[in-house]
Amino acid sequence: MNYEFYADVFFLTNCYLDFLAVYTVSEILRMGGRDRKKKRILRYLICCAVSSLSGYVLFLLIRDYDAYLLCIHSIVNPLLVAGCFFPVGRELYIKAFCLVYFVMLLLGGSVEWLYHTVAGGRYYELCLFAAAVPIAVFLYILRRKREIVHRFYTVRIEHKGKKMELTALYDTGNSLRDPYVKQPVHIVSSEVCGFLEKEETFLTRLIPFSSVGCRNGMLKAFTIERLVIRWEDRQIELAPAVLAVTQEALFEHRNYQMILNNSVSEETGFFCGKAVFRE
């Protein structure tokens, strides 16, 4: 049996499916980092185009199909994931690699099923675009769900004349309280702590916490003069406020530097503690 090989179809199909898989995984694992969305998408497109071009060249050079598949799965695809998500830790890279493969298999199977079963061997381009519909619906539901559970705020830290603005995530799972001063605890990165400690050494204390992967841990906590939480045209001021420093890995490649306590309520505009609400 003879097959007709169309270089443009081969390249565009692989590039398209690779991009869908990579972008979906980046949304699932939140691997965008602090890069702007347009910059991130451009990076994915370039990596997918290079990967597809590499696959095309290997297809022409390697006559043995099994050897070709070995090169694709052991060299091209791992480099594609590394190029899209670099730099990430080994554990996160393995997760991304496995998920990309899983999504690729789903997309490839969907396209083949639509083309041979539904479309009867016609309208291949429409089948390609139709395979992206479930991905789009899934990402929409995922984002909506995250908007309900997680919200982002602009936060200003004020202490001894120093001011620092950053992005904070409101997490319903953070219910940590300081057992000494009976105040809610907000989690910050070591970068924030380092900024505040440039000219001052804080009186810190260790507070116990429990989380997934660490049932009995200790966090270094300290008190600052004021924390201002803003959204839209409203703001909450907490004075004083308790911050705790956690491992930098928690904030690695994230677009926020603080995790707010679940005491914050956007609906009521109220912070459970000594707070002032202002319109």
Side-chain angles (χ1 to χ4, degrees):
M1 182 180 293
N2 295 322
Y3 293 92
E4 293 185 10
F5 178 73
Y6 296 96
D8 54 344
V9 175
F10 179 91
F11 174 81
L12 292 174
T13 299
N14 281 279
C15 185
Y16 171 74
L17 294 178
D18 286 351
F19 175 79
L20 283 180
V22 168
Y23 184 77
T24 302
V25 171
S26 73
E27 291 293 310
I28 294 173
L29 298 181
R30 294 184 176 180
M31 299 178 71
R34 299 181 186 180
D35 291 342
R36 292 181 179 178
K37 189 172 183 179
K38 289 183 179 179
K39 182 179 178 181
R40 179 159 51 100
I41 290 177
L42 179 60
R43 179 178 181 178
Y44 295 166
L45 284 172
I46 292 174
C47 290
C48 291
V50 172
S51 175
S52 299
L53 182 61
S54 301
Y56 168 67
V57 172
L58 289 174
F59 185 83
L60 295 179
L61 294 178
I62 301 176
R63 298 297 181 183
D64 189 296
Y65 187 67
D66 291 332
Y68 164 76
L69 290 179
L70 180 63
C71 291
I72 292 295
H73 294 302
S74 62
I75 300 175
V76 177
N77 288 341
L79 289 177
L80 167 64
V81 179
C84 288
F85 301 130
F86 179 85
V88 296
R90 183 176 63 179
E91 183 177 347
L92 194 57
Y93 174 80
I94 293 173
K95 279 185 182 179
F97 182 75
C98 294
L99 277 175
V100 166
Y101 254 97
F102 177 71
V103 176
M104 282 181 177
L105 288 174
L106 286 180
L107 287 171
S110 299
V111 172
E112 289 298 313
W113 179 77
L114 288 170
Y115 180 64
H116 292 290
T117 305
V118 178
R122 298 176 298 171
Y123 311 117
Y124 185 72
E125 294 80 4
L126 289 178
C127 294
L128 279 175
F129 286 109
V133 173
I135 294 292
V137 173
F138 169 76
L139 291 179
Y140 174 79
I141 295 173
L142 179 66
R143 288 169 181 167
R144 292 294 297 173
K145 184 177 179 180
R146 284 175 175 171
E147 286 177 1
I148 296 172
V149 178
H150 295 156
R151 299 181 179 91
F152 293 94
Y153 295 81
T154 300
V155 172
R156 184 173 73 248
I157 296 173
E158 298 180 5
H159 187 76
K160 297 291 181 68
K162 289 185 177 181
K163 294 182 180 181
M164 181 181 187
E165 285 208 353
L166 44 85
T167 301
L169 169 71
Y170 167 66
D171 187 1
T172 55
N174 177 19
S175 57
L176 184 63
R177 298 186 74 88
D178 189 325
Y180 304 106
V181 298
K182 310 302 181 183
Q183 287 287 327
V185 178
H186 310 279
I187 310 299
V188 296
S189 65
S190 58
E191 178 185 354
V192 176
C193 182
F195 171 80
L196 295 173
E197 287 186 331
K198 283 182 179 179
E199 299 176 2
E200 178 185 357
T201 302
F202 283 95
L203 294 176
T204 60
R205 63 263 187 196
L206 294 177
I207 59 174
F209 79 98
S210 177
S211 65
V212 178
C214 184
R215 296 186 59 185
N216 298 296
M218 303 294 287
L219 289 177
K220 184 176 73 171
F222 55 93
T223 301
I224 60 170
E225 291 179 349
R226 182 178 290 104
L227 186 68
V228 181
I229 306 168
R230 300 199 307 269
W231 74 96
E232 297 178 354
D233 59 343
R234 296 173 289 175
Q235 72 177 35
I236 293 172
E237 294 183 8
L238 177 67
V242 179
L243 306 182
V245 184
T246 188
Q247 297 178 353
E248 197 65 29
L250 183 64
F251 297 97
E252 186 178 11
H253 306 296
R254 307 299 187 200
N255 57 358
Y256 54 88
Q257 302 81 45
M258 173 185 285
I259 299 177
L260 293 171
N261 193 276
N262 64 8
S263 303
V264 178
S265 174
E266 186 178 61
E267 287 75 21
T268 61
F270 179 75
F271 189 92
C272 300
K274 297 178 181 179
V276 178
F277 173 69
R278 295 181 178 179
E279 290 288 348

